[in-house]
Structure formats: C-alpha cells, structure tokens
Amino acid sequence: MTGGHSATAPTLLPTAIVGSLPKPSWLAEPEKLWSPWKLEGDALREGKRDALRIAVQEQSNRGIDILSDGEQSRQHFVTTFIEHLSGVDFERRETVRIRNRYDASVPTVVGSVSREQPVFVDDARFLRASTDRPIKWTLPGPMTMVDTLYDAHYRSREELAMEFATILNQEARELEAAGVDIIQFDEPSFNVFFDEVKDWGIAALERAAEGLRAETAVHICYGYGIKANTDWKATLGSQWRQYEESFPLLQSSSIDIVSLESHHSHVPMDLIELVRGKKVMLGAIDVASETIESPEEVADTLRTALQFVDADKLVPSTNCGMAPFPRDVALAKLSALSAGTRIVREEVTGE
C-alpha cells in the first residue's frame, strides 16, 4: 500500500478510536497504563514500528474507518511529547496536583520551552504509508500539558499554555504535511478548570490548531485507568454536566470535531445539542469495563445521539483509550463498534 490520500472511509458514520490500543506484550508490560518499554535502542525503534503496523492491521480487519497509530510509540499521552522539548528538566521533579484530583511527581519547566525537532512526524509518515484510509493523530492539548508540569520559569499557566500552543501548532502543521487527515488534541483539563477554559483555554487550543487544513478535533475525557479518576467520577452524581461549560465555547470556535464520552457515562445525550454544527466523535464503547458491548447496544447509543446530531456529522468511536485492556477484549470492542455502526448506517441510508 502506498501513502496516497484516498479517503476510503464511508461518508456516513465513519468509525474511529479515540486513543490507545493495548501494546503487544513483547513491547511493554500488558494491561498497564504508562507501562515501561521492554526493548531499548534500535530494537525499541523497530518494535514500535512493528506494533504500529499491527495496530493498523487490527483496526482495518475489524472495520475501523479512520485509522490511528493506537499510540504504540508513546508511553504517556502528555509526557512523551514534552520529553522532546527543551526548557523542561525531567531530573528536577516536583509534586503537583493533577486536574485537582491526585498528586504526581512531575518534571519542571526551567527555561523557555521550544521544540528543537519534530516529535511524531516520522511515525505519522510511517502510518500514512501503511494504509490508504484516512488517518488521525493525537497530540496533548496545551492546558493539559500545563497541568502535567511544575512551572518554575513562566509562573503563569496562561503564558506557558500559549507557548505550548505555538509548539503544538508547529508539530501539527508538519503532521498535516506528512498526510494526517485529522489532528486530535486531548484536553481532559477542560472538564475541571472551567474559568481557565473560558479565560484562555479555548484561545490556546485555537492557537494550536491555527492555519491547519487538516480537520481538528478536541477530545475531552473524564479520565480512566487509575483509582483517582474512578473515585472522582463517583462524586459527579447521576448527571455529568461538565460539558455544559466547554461545549458552547467550542461551538463558536474553529475546532471541527468535538469528541466526548457517552456510552455508560452519565453525560446527558442532549448536551450534544450545544455543539450543533460541529462533527461529534461519540464514545459508544466503554473503556472502564471489560464487558464487550453487543452491536445492538452500540447501535442504541448511536440512535440516541442522532436525535441531537445530524448523521453526516457523527463519528462513532470509543470513549477513550484502551491501553489497560487485554488485547482480545480491546479488539472485540472494535468489532462491536463497527458492527453496531453498520446497523445504524443501514437504517439511515436504507441500504
């Protein structure tokens, strides 16, 4: 297969995954978030490529239309990007509160942050050359990057976020040039720091997406895979209405696609109405449970969503990443996503 741009995804309800897939056991310890690599040097580089190739094949085989790398080359969705930047000292650690939820030992910003060379562009080229389907690449959002560091230099979350946004924009433009069709920014912080989202969070996100011809997406997840996130979700009550804060702002932003958790979350489906006009990447697969959804369950979630979003704007997806799952569970969930989507696609088109 060559890396030509021939979008072979169905025009209606194309399926996608939001983030990670499990890594093969020879690359990293299975069923564990942020698992350390088992290989090093050239063997690690080769291993990551092999894993990416497998991720492409598994998504293709199981009916996923918009392919991603499954984050096979990343250990962590934020810090793997930050590791490649200058101005951040990974030896100097400080304890900070992440998303007002849990304490973590994080690297320190010690000087002006900058990107000396591309971070993911070679991997994106490799992904582009591995498939003729549309491809999506994920970057951390500027606010979430700021929230994952101790800042001893700028002393201003907003200023640091704007610096990161400029760096993300450089990376995003090169990813676009490498053939990426959709660039997704992960901003779980948007569910927590509502005043900052209003004051500068959306502006930083728009700076990161500035001037791109590729479609842009923002994924606002509730977190998963660690106890602090599970405990926090338990405090949110019977309705999760956090999106009410960010959706109206995103609706009037330049971002093309809004990605949200839906299946088995307590997010009222009618909140999607707040981003009317945008594409919606709707999580129809639960990543907090190993129970495999039936195609009919997926179809039900999508049918409900279609009351609030037009069919030509709906992208069925997973709630978030699936790195901590056993591989067979993750793959069965991909099959359920595409099977459930097929049911609804046939209902909508009558074909």
Side-chain angles (χ1 to χ4, degrees):
M1 281 199 228
T2 58
H5 265 283
S6 54
T8 50
T11 46
L12 212 56
L13 308 182
T15 52
I17 62 168
V18 156
S20 56
L21 287 172
K23 293 184 175 78
S25 55
W26 42 260
L27 181 62
E29 196 179 321
E31 295 174 46
K32 190 175 176 184
L33 265 185
W34 317 325
S35 174
W37 302 115
K38 288 188 177 178
L39 307 170
E40 50 189 57
D42 288 345
L44 177 58
R45 266 188 298 281
E46 188 178 303
K48 286 176 179 177
R49 289 282 160 97
D50 289 345
L52 195 154
R53 206 180 277 121
I54 291 167
V56 165
Q57 188 179 359
E58 293 290 15
Q59 288 171 84
S60 301
N61 289 353
R62 287 167 189 270
I64 302 303
D65 302 306
I66 299 166
L67 302 190
S68 84
D69 65 331
E71 299 190 12
Q72 297 300 301
S73 56
R74 271 161 283 183
Q75 200 175 1
H76 185 278
F77 79 109
V78 185
T79 45
T80 298
F81 186 74
I82 295 173
E83 276 166 13
H84 292 80
L85 307 180
S86 52
V88 184
D89 186 345
F90 273 76
E91 300 303 305
R92 189 175 152 191
R93 314 290 291 194
E94 297 283 348
T95 298
V96 301
R97 195 109 183 118
I98 304 269
R99 299 206 276 286
N100 276 350
R101 220 172 294 161
Y102 57 96
D103 292 326
S105 165
V106 298
T108 300
V109 178
V110 293
S112 297
V113 289
S114 66
R115 166 184 170 274
E116 308 296 324
Q117 69 267 324
V119 181
F120 297 132
V121 176
D122 281 347
D123 290 331
R125 271 196 208 103
F126 186 79
L127 174 60
R128 176 69 286 162
S130 305
T131 180
D132 289 330
R133 293 185 192 187
I135 60 171
K136 178 165 72 79
W137 200 273
T138 302
L139 294 171
M143 182 181 283
T144 299
M145 287 173 75
V146 168
D147 199 51
T148 316
L149 293 165
Y150 177 75
D151 175 16
H153 178 72
Y154 294 91
R155 305 286 183 184
S156 155
R157 280 167 69 92
E158 178 177 356
E159 200 181 326
L160 179 55
M162 288 303 179
E163 290 294 325
F164 280 148
T166 301
I167 288 168
L168 287 163
N169 188 247
Q170 294 164 359
E171 179 79 9
R173 284 169 187 251
E174 292 192 36
L175 289 169
E176 175 185 271
V180 174
D181 300 286
I182 301 171
I183 294 168
Q184 173 186 312
F185 298 96
D186 286 344
E187 279 289 24
S189 293
F190 275 21
N191 267 343
V192 183
F193 304 112
F194 301 135
D195 290 342
E196 288 185 319
V197 171
K198 230 178 257 97
D199 293 346
W200 52 263
I202 300 282
L205 182 63
E206 292 208 272
R207 180 180 287 190
E210 205 173 287
L212 294 174
R213 288 180 312 281
E215 283 193 293
T216 54
V218 60
H219 172 60
I220 310 171
C221 80
Y222 277 82
Y224 72 112
I226 59 170
K227 187 177 183 304
N229 288 335
T230 313
D231 291 350
W232 176 67
K233 287 179 176 181
T235 68
L236 298 179
S238 61
Q239 288 203 340
W240 299 355
R241 305 197 72 92
Q242 283 71 13
Y243 290 142
E244 261 175 344
E245 302 283 340
S246 57
F247 276 13
L249 301 168
L250 287 166
Q251 202 271 335
S252 55
S253 77
S254 60
I255 302 299
D256 300 307
I257 305 167
V258 178
S259 160
L260 70 145
E261 293 196 25
S262 179
H263 191 66
H264 283 175
S265 80
H266 296 292
V267 175
M269 197 73 95
D270 61 356
L271 292 186
I272 301 170
E273 195 75 79
L274 298 173
V275 286
R276 179 65 82 177
K278 299 290 185 190
K279 285 190 180 177
V280 173
M281 210 154 98
L282 187 93
I285 293 289
D286 185 5
V287 300
S289 156
E290 290 189 15
T291 307
I292 317 279
E293 289 78 1
S294 69
E296 199 48 55
E297 271 181 282
V298 171
D300 272 343
T301 299
L302 300 178
R303 286 187 196 109
T304 309
L306 284 169
Q307 296 170 40
F308 307 103
V309 57
D310 296 338
D312 63 349
K313 297 252 191 287
L314 184 62
V315 180
S317 68
T318 53
N319 275 355
C320 201
M322 298 198 285
F325 280 154
R327 284 175 86 189
D328 59 339
V329 169
L331 297 176
K333 282 179 174 272
L334 292 187
S335 294
L337 176 63
S338 49
T341 300
R342 252 193 321 275
I343 294 171
V344 177
R345 198 183 287 141
E346 284 165 14
E347 290 170 357
V348 171
T349 60
E351 289 169 17

